[in-house]
Amino acid sequence: MSTHAQTLLDLYRAGYFPMADARDADTVQVLAPHMRALLPIRDLHISRRLLRTLRQTMFDVRVDTATSAVIAACAAARPDTWINPMIEKAYNDLAAQGHVHSVEVWDQDRLVGGLYGVSLGGLFCGESMFSHMRDASKIALVHLCARLSHQGYTLLDAQFDNPHLHQFGQYTMPHEAYVQAIAEICDLPVTFADAMPQAEMLRRYLSLVKPPSAS
């Protein structure tokens, strides 16, 4: 593993993550919000409308088949992106080493949505998502939780409090509590990869979720 990749993983183990000020920024900041945002893996809030979409959609959801394309699409999704070329390369390097994974939503042969994140034992740090069609990123998120639940992950980090994620049951904890929690799970023997088809993971996951909200 390269020195840069190991340094990045050490940051995550310590409760930090990198961000750039802009796409063309030539420096990277190391951040740790006072209140860390997380998403519930097994109790994700799924609306009735999204649940119908998940059960009826013709999208093809794949895992780790186009991680570089997902990272690039996330970087291009917003004009004020924090993903500069230095960060993009670092995550691609970590993907090659099995520490970064993507969930991709395909409309036939077109990548229309997805997300990626860093995997460390029982911790998954969600980094960014994008959507080119309605609900594509939401579909990716539910599929991610289905996989994390099936594989035995403990925490899904969402970094900053984000009003967009409140609908999914986002919660927060103080930085000190977060650091203590991840110290106990980063070396668990948990893996992202599994031979079970993603569609079957989703089917099992949706059979266990709480009754959806009306929205």
Side-chain angles (χ1 to χ4, degrees):
M1 183 181 295
S2 72
T3 302
H4 291 304
Q6 185 60 59
T7 299
L8 189 54
L9 292 179
D10 289 343
L11 285 177
Y12 280 98
R13 286 179 178 273
Y16 296 86
F17 54 86
M19 294 186 77
D21 289 331
R23 177 65 175 169
D24 58 358
D26 57 5
T27 58
V28 174
Q29 300 182 60
V30 175
L31 303 175
H34 173 65
M35 295 298 294
R36 194 65 168 240
L38 300 104
L39 286 169
I41 293 175
R42 292 162 188 83
D43 296 315
L44 193 73
H45 298 183
I46 307 173
S47 70
R48 285 191 172 91
R49 188 188 65 78
L50 181 57
L51 189 59
R52 287 195 301 270
T53 299
L54 285 161
R55 288 172 170 161
Q56 299 171 1
T57 184
M58 298 302 292
F59 291 136
D60 181 21
V61 178
R62 308 172 196 171
V63 171
D64 289 346
T65 70
T67 303
S68 293
V70 170
I71 296 172
C74 288
R78 296 176 55 183
D80 59 343
T81 182
W82 56 269
I83 306 172
N84 69 354
M86 188 184 309
I87 289 178
E88 189 170 349
K89 181 182 185 306
Y91 286 121
N92 277 306
D93 289 346
L94 284 178
Q97 296 159 8
H99 290 288
V100 165
H101 300 280
S102 62
V103 177
E104 310 138 15
V105 180
W106 295 82
D107 182 15
Q108 297 183 16
D109 61 351
R110 178 174 166 240
L111 181 63
V112 297
L115 56 80
Y116 75 95
V118 177
S119 176
L120 274 173
L123 170 68
F124 191 89
C125 300
E127 291 301 311
S128 189
M129 60 176 62
F130 79 99
S131 183
H132 293 325
M133 293 185 70
R134 184 181 185 186
D135 291 335
S137 61
K138 295 179 181 180
I139 290 170
L141 177 60
V142 178
H143 273 269
L144 171 67
C145 287
R147 177 167 289 265
L148 298 183
S149 176
H150 182 265
Q151 296 299 95
Y153 281 79
T154 303
L155 290 177
L156 172 53
D157 173 33
Q159 299 180 344
F160 293 107
D161 180 31
N162 183 344
H164 173 69
L165 296 179
H166 290 178
Q167 64 187 297
F168 297 105
Q170 178 190 274
Y171 63 101
T172 59
M173 68 170 63
H175 172 73
E176 295 78 9
Y178 173 79
V179 171
Q180 183 177 357
I182 66 174
E184 300 174 0
I185 64 174
C186 281
D187 292 314
L188 291 176
V190 177
T191 60
F192 194 80
D194 190 90
M196 180 180 290
Q198 186 62 37
E200 177 60 17
M201 281 190 187
L202 179 70
R203 187 192 68 77
R204 296 188 183 192
Y205 182 72
L206 294 182
S207 72
L208 299 174
V209 297
K210 295 178 180 179
S213 62
S215 60

